[in-house]
Amino acid sequence: MQNTMKKLLFALLILFVAPTLPAQSKAPANAEKSDPEAKKVLDKIRKKYEGYKTLEAAFSLTIELPGQDQEVQKGTIGQEDKKFRLEMDQQIIVSDATTTWVYLKKNNEVQINDADPADTESGFLTPRDLLKRYQKGDYTYAITEKITENGKLITQIEFKPNDKNSEYSKLRVSIDEKGGSIKAIKAFGKDGSRYSFAITRFTPNKTFDAGYFSKEKKKYPGVKVEDLRL
């Protein structure tokens, strides 16, 4: 996965998994610039998700790059506290909150990264990293519209990064307020790329097998290992 796509994908994932992590008591910077009604919706979702000890979701990721055919990848993501496991068509990404492993299926290669590097611009962005940036006020957000999809009222909230050097211009999050869940997220890259993340199945409080959030070498015989940790 290219570095830009990696960052965009994890930007999508953090908005999905963020409500399961503890909220900070201190109000984020730039909070006054965001829509208070949007904050109410997000707070409602957060309170519901905070009750989940673990979660698992199946999703579909649609990738649209300028001048290229649309690509659709399907996968699952599981989370327990700060641990997560992302499985997709081309790679598996696993983090035990200390170390992150990226297994590239086509190359039979594993890249090892620190789960929370100090330099996130050149390192691997984890959900924890992006959550801290979001809570510090790195995004301004507002409700843009409410639409009906499959008989459900969907509230759309747009997040705009306050960093002018961000690789994407905005994120659009679709929320089912009545059901208390995030249904879809779309990232708009400044280069014209689009990444649409739709949640097709959601399972809270799932029990995961031992070792689910760790990389097991025996599963990948002959794998090439590239250790990128500092």
Side-chain angles (χ1 to χ4, degrees):
M1 182 185 296
Q2 295 179 347
N3 196 44
T4 298
M5 180 180 172
K6 184 190 296 182
K7 292 182 179 182
L8 287 169
L9 177 57
F10 272 85
L12 299 182
L13 294 178
I14 187 51
L15 286 174
F16 171 59
V17 303
T20 67
L21 299 178
Q24 291 182 343
S25 59
K26 183 180 179 181
N30 297 319
E32 69 280 359
K33 296 181 181 179
S34 294
D35 179 0
E37 291 302 314
K39 184 178 185 302
K40 289 181 181 179
V41 173
L42 295 171
D43 286 346
K44 179 181 177 181
I45 297 298
R46 177 179 289 278
K47 289 179 181 179
K48 186 175 182 66
Y49 277 54
E50 280 179 348
Y52 303 146
K53 294 182 178 180
T54 67
L55 63 83
E56 183 184 62
F59 64 88
S60 175
L61 176 65
T62 301
I63 304 169
E64 302 170 85
L65 303 177
Q68 299 185 29
D69 293 335
Q70 184 183 91
E71 178 183 354
V72 178
Q73 296 186 22
K74 295 183 179 181
T76 60
I77 179 171
Q79 188 202 8
E80 180 179 312
D81 194 19
K82 298 171 185 176
K83 304 175 184 179
F84 67 92
R85 182 185 185 94
L86 171 68
E87 296 194 20
M88 297 182 67
D89 299 336
Q90 300 176 14
Q91 65 265 314
I92 298 175
I93 305 174
V94 183
S95 178
D96 63 1
T98 300
T99 304
T100 298
W101 298 271
V102 181
Y103 175 56
L104 305 175
K105 297 180 181 180
K106 184 177 181 180
N107 300 333
N108 196 28
E109 176 184 330
V110 169
Q111 297 177 354
I112 305 176
N113 296 268
D114 290 320
D116 192 10
D119 182 7
T120 57
E121 289 305 313
S122 60
F124 191 91
L125 282 180
T126 68
R128 184 183 179 188
D129 298 322
L130 285 168
L131 179 60
K132 288 189 293 188
R133 291 169 57 183
Y134 165 73
Q135 290 181 320
K136 287 190 298 183
D138 287 351
Y139 299 88
T140 301
Y141 51 88
I143 294 176
T144 54
E145 63 178 332
K146 296 194 177 188
I147 59 178
T148 300
E149 292 182 354
N150 299 321
K152 296 181 179 180
L153 181 62
I154 303 297
T155 299
Q156 292 191 341
I157 299 178
E158 286 194 356
F159 291 75
K160 293 186 178 180
N162 294 320
D163 183 1
K164 294 182 180 179
N165 296 319
S166 173
E167 296 178 59
Y168 51 93
S169 58
K170 63 182 178 181
L171 300 174
R172 181 182 296 154
V173 183
S174 298
I175 297 175
D176 175 6
E177 287 191 59
K178 186 175 181 180
S181 63
I182 295 174
K183 305 301 293 183
I185 307 164
K186 187 169 185 176
F188 296 78
K190 289 182 178 179
D191 60 356
S193 58
R194 301 288 185 270
Y195 300 85
S196 302
F197 181 82
I199 298 166
T200 57
R201 175 177 53 80
F202 178 75
T203 306
N205 297 323
K206 179 174 179 175
T207 300
F208 295 105
D209 295 334
Y212 184 76
F213 298 105
S214 62
K215 188 266 176 184
E216 300 178 39
K217 291 183 179 180
K218 62 183 180 181
K219 289 185 177 181
Y220 314 113
V223 66
K224 176 184 176 182
V225 177
E226 185 175 1
D227 195 333
L228 303 176
R229 290 172 292 187
L230 299 177

